[in-house]
Amino acid sequence: MVDKALVQEKIYEKYIGATKKNRKKYIGIEVEMPIVNLDKQAVDFARIHELTAKFMEHFQFEVMSRDDEGNIHAAIHPENGDILSYDCSYNNLELSFGKEKTLQALYQRFREYYTYIQQELEQYHYTLTGMGVNPYRKYNKNVPIPNGRYRMLFHHLNSYPKYKDLPMDFHEYPEYGLFSSASQVQLDVDYEDLVTTIRAFSRLEPVKALLFNNSILIGEQEELACCRDMFWENSTHGINPHNIGMFDCEIKSVEELQEYLESASMYCVERGDKYINFSPIPVMEYFEQDSITGEYYADGSYHEISFAPEIEDLDYLRTFKFEDLTFRGTIEFRSVCCQPIEDVMTVSAFHLGLKRRLKELDLLLQEDHVIYHHGFSEAKLRKMFVRQELPDFVNREALYGLAEQIVDLAKKGLMERGYGEEIYLAPLYERIRQQTNPARKMLCHLKNNGDIEDVIVEYGRI
């Protein structure tokens, strides 16, 4: 058992206290992209390991971590902090970028890395593409990277059949982490803006779905233009809804945010070389226990183990909120699918510009009557807007007018920065003009007897 006051103090220090530190304002970007074998066969991981080695030599990256079989699954540039890694699976490549002041600097490096990787993959008739779900997922070997963390995560997600008495429905895609891809951005947030940022960007989520939807399960549940929300919410990650997705209540103060963080659940820790998984336990309840029983993997099977909670276990408290407060004093915006590669910078530009005009965004959405003030919460509206069809009560022209107002605010914020970053918003204005998004565009192509291969190539073009 760990003292309650100590746990509360450490949670505050880890998350909220980090926002009080004096920091230069930087941008952090992570782009996950599916690897596609155009021959409609499983991606050969041996070729992916060859690609990693060539990339590291060409760009002078260094080994960051290896899997249990000795293969490199993460590499870092020692000077700029950029990382090449594979997220959950060797079917999903991720480029993460070190801190930068401007989007242009990040895009220049992204373009250089991406172009090189594509040229290497072309030799095998492979490609990267900009989709939130791997369109060839059924051909792939959907197995996790063989290391403690990803093996534990895969085991945790596959454990859903044992939770039969919970008032929730689980989907049947526990391997979704192996074939789904996101585009995430982290922005520094100051203590004074913390509550406003969470409130304003939570209200923004339905409009983000309208603009950025790009996760289609082809041939299955195509009524969802963004199935990523469902993947998280109806999995073991969603057993405690305070760990994922939208805030289900309006956070009105830092004290309420602290209480919300204290209500999130833990489901894993490490002890020595063992990654231990257990049924999710709310964090305050976790530290009240004298002993907890979980499972760890060894010698091809899972074994039961009991352990005592330690305050250092807070390092394993991880939430997956759409507006996720991190230990770095940043908010990570996690709700956007991987975008077509030509539009890769739209996500960071949109959030960065709006963060600059935070109070105006907050006021605009508080006073909005296009989607709000119709009896639906932002969480319910998000569920409506990730679908193909818009809800009946919405006036389509007014809706896209609201979206344009919001993108205009982002543009003003970027223009204030003075780096010319507003150019990256151009694809969003085009989506508003055509009243579409990448998912809708792809589904329209397929319904008109177009080939998915055409979309794979188009969405992978830079």
Side-chain angles (χ1 to χ4, degrees):
M1 182 181 297
V2 180
D3 181 69
K4 178 180 178 180
L6 176 61
V7 177
Q8 291 174 320
E9 177 188 339
K10 292 297 184 182
I11 290 175
Y12 184 94
E13 182 182 302
K14 178 179 179 180
Y15 294 104
I16 296 171
T19 67
K20 293 184 173 182
K21 297 176 182 177
N22 291 325
R23 297 151 292 152
K24 294 180 179 178
K25 298 296 184 289
Y26 290 108
I27 313 157
I29 295 176
E30 301 171 15
V31 183
E32 303 165 4
M33 297 163 284
I35 302 171
V36 178
N37 181 342
L38 294 170
D39 291 328
K40 296 185 178 181
Q41 297 177 2
V43 168
D44 184 343
F45 294 162
R47 290 176 170 175
I48 302 307
H49 301 322
E50 290 174 11
L51 165 67
T52 305
K54 289 179 180 179
F55 179 95
M56 290 176 63
E57 181 179 4
H58 185 83
F59 291 105
Q60 299 182 310
F61 276 51
E62 297 176 353
V63 176
M64 191 173 179
S65 57
R66 295 178 183 271
D67 67 26
D68 293 348
E69 296 172 0
N71 297 305
I72 299 167
H73 70 84
I76 188 168
H77 193 284
E79 295 178 5
N80 60 31
D82 293 349
I83 297 172
L84 169 79
S85 63
Y86 298 91
D87 186 72
C88 293
S89 162
Y90 287 115
N91 296 310
N92 199 28
L93 186 145
E94 179 174 337
L95 290 172
S96 309
F97 294 86
K99 296 177 179 178
E100 271 293 350
K101 292 182 179 179
T102 71
L103 296 180
Q104 280 90 342
L106 291 168
Y107 181 63
Q108 183 177 353
R109 299 210 299 272
F110 175 86
R111 187 180 181 89
E112 190 174 356
Y113 299 151
Y114 184 85
T115 300
Y116 177 86
I117 292 168
Q118 283 290 64
Q119 289 172 348
E120 291 297 319
L121 290 176
E122 284 172 4
Q123 299 177 38
Y124 312 128
H125 205 213
Y126 290 8
T127 187
L128 295 175
T129 192
M131 296 183 185
V133 169
N134 192 316
Y136 283 178
R137 64 187 175 89
K138 291 186 176 180
Y139 304 119
N140 280 333
K141 293 176 289 186
N142 285 310
V143 295
I145 291 170
N147 70 1
R149 178 176 174 233
Y150 287 126
R151 191 183 288 114
M152 176 280 301
L153 183 58
F154 191 69
H155 179 65
H156 176 60
L157 291 169
N158 274 277
S159 69
Y160 73 92
K162 75 179 185 180
Y163 298 102
K164 295 179 180 179
D165 298 327
L166 294 178
M168 64 179 291
D169 295 320
F170 291 97
H171 60 64
E172 297 182 354
Y173 308 95
E175 74 282 8
Y176 70 86
L178 312 180
F179 59 74
S180 63
S181 304
S183 181
Q184 296 165 183
V185 56
Q186 287 196 38
L187 300 176
D188 287 293
V189 60
D190 292 328
Y191 177 83
E192 295 76 13
D193 293 333
L194 188 50
V195 172
T196 307
T197 301
I198 291 173
R199 179 177 63 230
F201 279 91
S202 292
R203 286 183 175 146
L204 183 64
E205 284 299 337
V207 178
K208 284 170 63 176
L210 179 78
L211 293 174
F212 293 106
N213 280 342
N214 192 30
S215 293
I216 301 291
L217 270 175
I218 298 172
E220 303 174 50
Q221 303 194 47
E222 289 187 358
E223 73 278 4
L224 293 174
C226 176
C227 62
R228 291 186 70 254
D229 291 22
M230 178 267 291
F231 284 159
W232 290 88
E233 291 169 4
N234 296 97
S235 73
T236 52
H237 279 315
I239 288 173
N240 182 346
H242 284 202
N243 277 59
I244 49 89
M246 303 282 292
F247 287 88
D248 52 1
C249 60
E250 183 177 332
I251 303 296
K252 298 180 180 178
S253 67
V254 171
E255 291 73 23
E256 288 186 3
L257 178 59
Q258 168 91 12
E259 291 176 3
Y260 199 98
L261 293 169
E262 291 171 7
S263 69
S265 291
M266 298 183 60
Y267 62 91
C268 68
V269 294
E270 280 184 280
R271 291 291 184 268
D273 61 350
K274 298 180 178 67
Y275 232 115
I276 304 170
N277 171 237
F278 46 90
S279 297
I281 306 173
V283 63
M284 300 307 294
E285 182 182 329
Y286 172 87
F287 285 106
E288 290 174 356
Q289 309 299 311
D290 292 320
S291 179
I292 290 173
T293 300
E295 296 178 299
Y296 71 94
Y297 178 88
D299 302 321
S301 61
Y302 286 88
H303 308 269
E304 190 172 286
I305 185 173
S306 294
F307 62 95
E310 302 171 357
I311 191 61
E312 291 79 14
D313 293 344
L314 274 177
D315 291 342
Y316 298 90
L317 173 60
R318 178 134 186 237
T319 57
F320 304 95
K321 307 299 291 180
F322 287 163
E323 284 70 43
D324 211 25
L325 182 59
T326 79
F327 66 89
R328 301 180 182 89
T330 65
I331 288 185
E332 183 173 18
F333 299 97
R334 302 180 49 90
S335 63
V336 177
C337 318
C338 175
Q339 297 295 288
I341 301 303
E342 283 186 332
D343 304 345
V344 70
M345 300 305 291
T346 57
V347 181
S348 50
F350 182 74
H351 288 88
L352 180 61
L354 289 174
K355 182 66 172 61
R356 184 90 179 193
R357 310 292 290 202
L358 178 62
K359 292 181 180 178
E360 291 169 77
L361 174 67
D362 187 40
L363 182 62
L364 175 64
L365 292 174
Q366 284 190 60
E367 296 181 347
D368 169 67
H369 283 75
V370 176
I371 61 174
Y372 285 106
H373 299 96
H374 293 276
F376 302 108
S377 67
E378 53 257 42
K380 181 61 176 175
L381 287 166
R382 171 78 187 190
K383 289 183 181 295
M384 294 177 178
F385 278 75
V386 297
R387 305 179 74 83
Q388 272 199 63
E389 300 299 326
L390 294 173
D392 292 338
F393 74 86
V394 173
N395 179 296
R396 196 179 186 95
E397 296 303 320
L399 174 63
Y400 280 96
L402 172 64
E404 187 167 14
Q405 281 184 274
I406 291 169
V407 178
D408 284 343
L409 272 183
K411 183 177 180 179
K412 288 178 183 177
L414 293 174
M415 290 177 69
E416 278 182 1
R417 285 170 49 82
Y419 300 119
E421 296 160 320
E422 59 274 10
I423 61 171
Y424 299 118
L425 296 174
L428 298 184
Y429 282 111
E430 185 63 18
R431 293 177 191 180
I432 290 168
R433 189 183 68 80
Q434 296 185 3
Q435 297 190 356
T436 191
N437 55 46
R440 191 169 291 150
K441 182 179 177 182
M442 178 172 73
L443 287 169
C444 182
H445 175 79
L446 296 178
K447 287 177 181 177
N448 289 324
N449 298 316
D451 294 326
I452 188 60
E453 288 75 20
D454 297 333
V455 183
I456 292 170
V457 172
E458 181 184 348
Y459 283 16
R461 190 176 295 125
I462 194 167

